[in-house]
Amino acid sequence: MPKRVDHEERRRRIAEALWRIASTRGLEGASMRDVAAEAGVSLGQLQHYFATKDELIVFALEHISGLGEERIRRRIAAITEDPAPRTVLRECAAGMLPLDDESRTGLLVGIAYFIRALGDERLRRHAQEGQPALRGFLAGQFRQAAESGETVPGLDPDTEAMLLIALTDGLTSSALLEVITPEEALELLDRHLDRLFVA
Amino acid sequence: MPKRVDHEERRRRIAEALWRIASTRGLEGASMRDVAAEAGVSLGQLQHYFATKDELIVFALEHISGLGEERIRRRIAAITEDPAPRTVLRECAAGMLPLDDESRTGLLVGIAYFIRALGDERLRRHAQEGQPALRGFLAGQFRQAAESGETVPGLDPDTEAMLLIALTDGLTSSALLEVITPEEALELLDRHLDRLFVA
């Protein structure tokens, strides 16, 4: 199916154009025409793939999230074949911090999406769908750690999962604002995990 | 000085118009003309007070932050005349969650400002100035609590202050996205504080 491959490639190229705009001057003032120009396609071609800016942002976000997950999986695999829950939790959270250009770009696209979702019921429902899966996965890691005695007593896995998501999210905002460095954010994340795990 | 009072009143009225727009449809697409119309003044009058949208957002944010601080002070005073550090920390953090319409509006203005600051060096420097003061204040409360044996041993006040800011910030994002309710956010905040303070 050579034609289909070509379409996929073009969709990805358009998504990458959106990321470049998001990471340099933000999406606030960017029009569909700006994105088309950046991607080197006509406005008509762009609209053939994405009817609205929201559709484009959703696709670009899912694509960049997929790359981020792949990156986290590779990082964990590089550390060990059989990672302990703490390693998995730490690498997942670290993967959500702006520690390099690729993750920084992903986060900026995520924020552009977040802002639009605040004022748009349909986008908000879409945004809501992602978090329970992540929260469930992290809770599973905390549960596994608790069962094998790696965590401090009395820890509730689901509560810890949500606290970790919120903490990482907030550290990311401060790092993007350059109030703390990404390295300080990672250090603070480790201090938080130190408290939850027995040494 | 009746003339000066009138100017202050008008600046506040313009700021309130900006808040109404921010909390209903967001600032992304709002022009200075839109804000002027909402405030019931001409574009020329608006520009007499605020030359740019950024200037207006900075003023509106400072004004609404001031109201938020006043609200937190009143809440603490209503609980007790001599509040324990945990009460102060809890009420400060709770005051940064979207628990009512006024704080929700303040947070939405804050997010609009945050987004612009990401792409604007001057605004970013202004945004950076606020956090150290808050962090220092919260660290002082943690220090006081540690000195009187109210916290678990080995707690670093400055680290805890930054963790609390980041956690509250992240809980707020999830509450605004309606992934968790504001009440769940407050409950999670209490679970976090439970861990830091001796019962």
Side-chain angles (χ1 to χ4, degrees):
Chain A
M1 301 178 292
K3 198 126 191 238
R4 180 169 165 76
V5 171
D6 185 57
H7 284 315
E8 278 305 303
E9 166 60 25
R10 189 165 278 178
R11 285 165 73 91
R12 270 203 302 276
R13 188 140 54 89
I14 293 169
E16 285 160 16
L18 183 85
W19 302 344
R20 281 195 298 278
I21 295 176
S23 62
T24 50
R25 55 194 171 96
L27 292 179
E28 199 169 345
S31 66
M32 290 287 269
R33 196 176 293 277
D34 295 330
V35 178
E38 177 73 30
V41 299
S42 71
L43 182 59
Q45 284 173 315
L46 177 71
Q47 285 167 332
H48 171 72
Y49 294 104
F50 304 103
T52 65
K53 193 171 164 186
D54 283 345
E55 267 181 39
L56 171 54
I57 292 179
V58 168
F59 175 80
L61 185 71
E62 286 180 350
H63 188 29
I64 210 164
S65 299
L67 292 177
E69 283 170 27
E70 190 45 52
R71 201 173 61 236
I72 292 169
R73 228 172 270 124
R74 276 201 311 272
R75 276 179 65 153
I76 295 173
I79 298 171
T80 168
E81 261 183 47
D82 183 24
R86 174 161 181 169
T87 305
V88 176
L89 288 164
R90 199 248 189 194
E91 293 306 316
C92 284
M96 294 186 277
L97 293 176
L99 290 166
D100 56 38
D101 279 352
E102 192 180 310
S103 56
R104 188 184 152 85
T105 301
L107 289 163
L108 291 171
V109 177
I111 289 170
Y113 176 82
F114 168 75
I115 295 303
R116 294 178 86 83
L118 288 182
D120 182 314
E121 175 69 32
R122 200 181 61 81
L123 272 188
R124 196 159 61 246
R125 250 177 292 134
H126 184 91
Q128 287 161 358
E129 283 163 20
Q131 211 181 75
L134 175 62
R135 185 171 173 176
F137 174 76
L138 299 177
Q141 295 293 320
F142 276 116
R143 194 166 298 115
Q144 197 183 316
E147 281 166 5
S148 55
E150 294 163 52
T151 56
V152 297
L155 188 145
D156 176 60
D158 187 53
T159 297
E160 295 309 330
M162 191 61 221
L163 287 173
L164 186 61
I165 291 171
L167 178 64
T168 308
D169 202 11
L171 288 172
T172 289
S173 299
S174 289
L176 288 174
L177 261 190
E178 300 170 15
V179 181
I180 55 174
T181 66
E183 292 70 29
E184 283 169 326
L186 188 57
E187 176 74 23
L188 285 157
L189 185 67
D190 282 330
R191 293 295 74 75
H192 175 72
L193 290 175
D194 283 345
R195 180 146 63 208
L196 308 182
F197 284 81
V198 289
Chain B
M1 302 179 289
K3 199 128 190 240
R4 180 169 165 76
V5 171
D6 185 57
H7 284 316
E8 278 304 304
E9 166 60 25
R10 188 165 278 180
R11 286 165 74 91
R12 270 204 302 276
R13 187 139 56 89
I14 292 169
E16 285 161 16
L18 183 86
W19 303 343
R20 281 195 298 278
I21 294 176
S23 61
T24 50
R25 56 195 172 94
L27 291 180
E28 198 168 344
S31 66
M32 291 288 269
R33 196 176 292 278
D34 295 331
V35 179
E38 178 72 30
V41 299
S42 72
L43 182 59
Q45 285 174 314
L46 177 70
Q47 285 167 333
H48 170 72
Y49 295 105
F50 305 103
T52 66
K53 194 171 162 183
D54 283 346
E55 267 182 39
L56 171 54
I57 291 179
V58 168
F59 174 80
L61 186 71
E62 285 179 350
H63 187 29
I64 209 165
S65 299
L67 292 178
E69 281 169 29
E70 190 44 52
R71 202 173 59 236
I72 292 169
R73 229 172 270 126
R74 275 201 313 271
R75 275 180 64 152
I76 295 173
I79 298 172
T80 169
E81 262 183 48
D82 182 25
R86 173 161 181 169
T87 304
V88 176
L89 289 164
R90 199 249 189 193
E91 294 307 316
C92 284
M96 294 186 276
L97 293 177
L99 289 166
D100 56 37
D101 279 351
E102 193 179 310
S103 55
R104 187 184 153 85
T105 300
L107 289 162
L108 291 171
V109 176
I111 288 170
Y113 175 82
F114 168 74
I115 295 302
R116 295 178 85 85
L118 288 182
D120 182 312
E121 176 71 30
R122 202 181 59 83
L123 272 188
R124 196 158 62 246
R125 249 177 293 133
H126 183 90
Q128 287 161 357
E129 283 163 18
Q131 212 180 76
L134 175 62
R135 185 172 174 175
F137 174 76
L138 298 178
Q141 294 293 320
F142 275 115
R143 194 166 298 114
Q144 197 184 315
E147 282 166 6
S148 55
E150 294 164 52
T151 57
V152 295
L155 190 144
D156 176 60
D158 188 53
T159 297
E160 295 310 329
M162 191 59 221
L163 286 173
L164 186 62
I165 291 172
L167 179 64
T168 308
D169 202 9
L171 289 172
T172 289
S173 299
S174 290
L176 289 174
L177 262 190
E178 299 170 16
V179 181
I180 56 174
T181 65
E183 292 71 28
E184 283 169 326
L186 187 57
E187 176 73 23
L188 285 158
L189 184 69
D190 281 329
R191 292 297 73 76
H192 175 73
L193 291 174
D194 283 347
R195 184 147 60 210
L196 308 182
F197 285 82
V198 290

